[in-house]
Amino acid sequence: TRLGFALAAADPRVLPYGSLVTVPGYDGDRVVPILDCGGAIKGRKLDVLFPTDSQAMRWGRKHLTVTVWQYADGKPADNPRKLR
C-alpha cells in the first residue's frame, strides 16, 4: 500500500535535494524524491520515511542498489519539495 507521502534523505554531496530515486521494496518501488539530508547521513546512505517508528524498525537497515532518475530534459526541479 502507498504510504501517502514517501521521501528519502541523503547526503546532498552525493544526491542533491530534488533527486529522484527508486528504493527496492520501499513505497511499492515507486520513484521518491530526496527532500532531506539528516545529520547522520554521510556518503552513500539513504534514510527513508515511514509513518511510524515501528514500521521503520521493521524495515531496519538494508544494503540495496537504488536507481537514481533524472528528468528527460536534464533540468533539476525548480522547487525540489514539489514533484514536476
Side-chain angles (χ1 to χ4, degrees), residues 15-35:
L15 287 172
Y17 295 109
S19 296
L20 300 172
V21 297
T22 303
V23 179
Y26 177 68
D27 196 42
D29 295 334
R30 293 178 181 89
V31 176
V32 296
I34 302 294
L35 297 180

Side-chain angles (χ1 to χ4, degrees), residues 7 14 27 29-30 35 40 53 56-57 59-60 64-65 70 72 76-77:
L7 63 90
V14 177
D27 196 42
D29 295 334
R30 293 178 181 89
L35 297 180
D53 286 343
M57 295 301 283
W59 174 265
L64 301 169
T65 300
Q70 75 179 63

Side-chain angles (χ1 to χ4, degrees), residues 9-69:
D11 184 336
R13 295 170 297 175
V14 177
L15 287 172
Y17 295 109
S19 296
L20 300 172
V21 297
T22 303
V23 179
Y26 177 68
D27 196 42
D29 295 334
R30 293 178 181 89
V31 176
V32 296
I34 302 294
L35 297 180
D36 193 10
C37 64
I41 302 169
K42 303 290 184 220
R44 297 173 54 165
K45 295 181 181 178
L46 292 178
D47 189 8
V48 292
L49 174 72
F50 284 94
T52 67
D53 286 343
S54 63
Q55 287 174 311
M57 295 301 283
R58 277 196 306 273
W59 174 265
R61 289 181 179 222
K62 299 176 184 282
H63 293 272
L64 301 169
T65 300
V66 303
T67 302
V68 180
W69 300 89

Side-chain angles (χ1 to χ4, degrees), residues 2 5-6 18 20 31-33 35 71 77 79-84:
R2 182 110 170 123
F5 189 71
L20 300 172
V31 176
V32 296
L35 297 180
Y71 294 108
N79 180 348
R81 294 190 181 269
K82 293 185 178 180
L83 293 178
R84 263 175 56 163

